[in-house]
Amino acid sequence: MPRAQRRLLRPSLAALSLSLLLGAAHADTPLFSADGYRINLYRSPTPNQLQGAAIVDTAALQTLLTQTPRPVLIDVYRRQWLQGRFIEDQPHENLPGSHWLANTGDGDLTADWQGYFARNLNALTAGDLAQPLVFYCRSDCWLSWNAVKRAAAMGYKTLYWYRDGLDAWQAANLPVEPARPEPFP
């Protein structure tokens, strides 16, 4: 084999080896907690169903928003939390009228974050477990899936998952508004 071909082959083999090594590392990392919450690779394809919730697309959500009682929109997109405050590293928008419960879609919530989630849901529903709730994030985002699952475990009965979330809303050229997370704690 000529020297030039060997020089080209070495980086390719190194890249292949690294790729295989990283793939094996991901294969050893669990995707779900013992409780069934997604804990890794949050931005990846999501399922077409979720026990305890109805999946809605943009048209169905628009219809829901005209009904009484009007569902509460809950965005669970992540926001960096550092030294007791949210860090706005980039602007975030959400559907008009939404409540942003940042970081509550993580698979493993500390007691403080679980309390934040529970207190806000209780306040937003006035303690009514039948109040319709719509959870969303971005498309291919497990955070909203986790949040719906968590709300169902807390006893909420009328749950919707806007699976394609903000991305689908924006793709339909519907209005958005600047978002701020609900204060923590």
Side-chain angles (χ1 to χ4, degrees), residues 13-134:
L13 288 175
L16 178 63
S17 296
L18 181 59
S19 174
L20 291 173
L21 180 64
L22 291 174
H26 276 298
D28 293 340
T29 304
L31 293 176
F32 294 91
S33 70
D35 296 333
Y37 294 99
R38 181 74 174 229
I39 57 174
N40 199 355
L41 301 175
Y42 292 121
R43 288 303 300 268
S44 58
T46 54
N48 293 325
Q49 60 187 9
L50 174 54
Q51 186 175 356
I55 296 176
V56 293
D57 61 12
T58 303
L61 178 56
Q62 288 179 294
T63 300
L64 273 177
L65 292 173
T66 66
Q67 297 180 353
T68 303
R70 188 177 193 273
V72 176
L73 297 171
I74 301 171
D75 180 0
V76 296
Y77 190 68
R78 292 175 117 184
R79 172 61 78 199
Q80 186 175 1
W81 177 257
L82 186 63
Q83 297 180 349
R85 64 186 183 99
F86 289 109
I87 306 300
E88 188 165 337
D89 52 349
Q90 60 183 334
H92 179 61
E93 297 173 320
N94 58 26
L95 284 60
S98 293
H99 300 274
W100 186 11
L101 301 182
N103 307 335
T104 58
D106 285 1
D108 290 321
L109 289 185
T110 66
D112 288 342
W113 285 102
Q114 179 66 36
Y116 169 75
F117 186 66
R119 279 189 309 279
N120 276 285
L121 288 187
N122 187 59
L124 294 169
T125 63
D128 180 1
L129 296 177
Q131 168 65 47
L133 299 171
V134 177

Side-chain angles (χ1 to χ4, degrees), residues 129-174:
L129 296 177
Q131 168 65 47
L133 299 171
V134 177
F135 291 90
Y136 71 93
C137 184
R138 308 296 296 228
S139 65
D140 292 327
C141 181
W142 286 84
L143 298 172
S144 51
W145 186 91
N146 280 343
V148 170
K149 182 175 171 55
R150 188 167 283 120
M154 294 168 59
Y156 289 92
K157 306 286 183 222
T158 314
L159 300 172
Y160 298 93
W161 180 29
Y162 185 34
R163 182 175 173 249
D164 293 324
L166 182 61
D167 296 326
W169 190 263
Q170 289 175 314
N173 293 314
L174 294 166

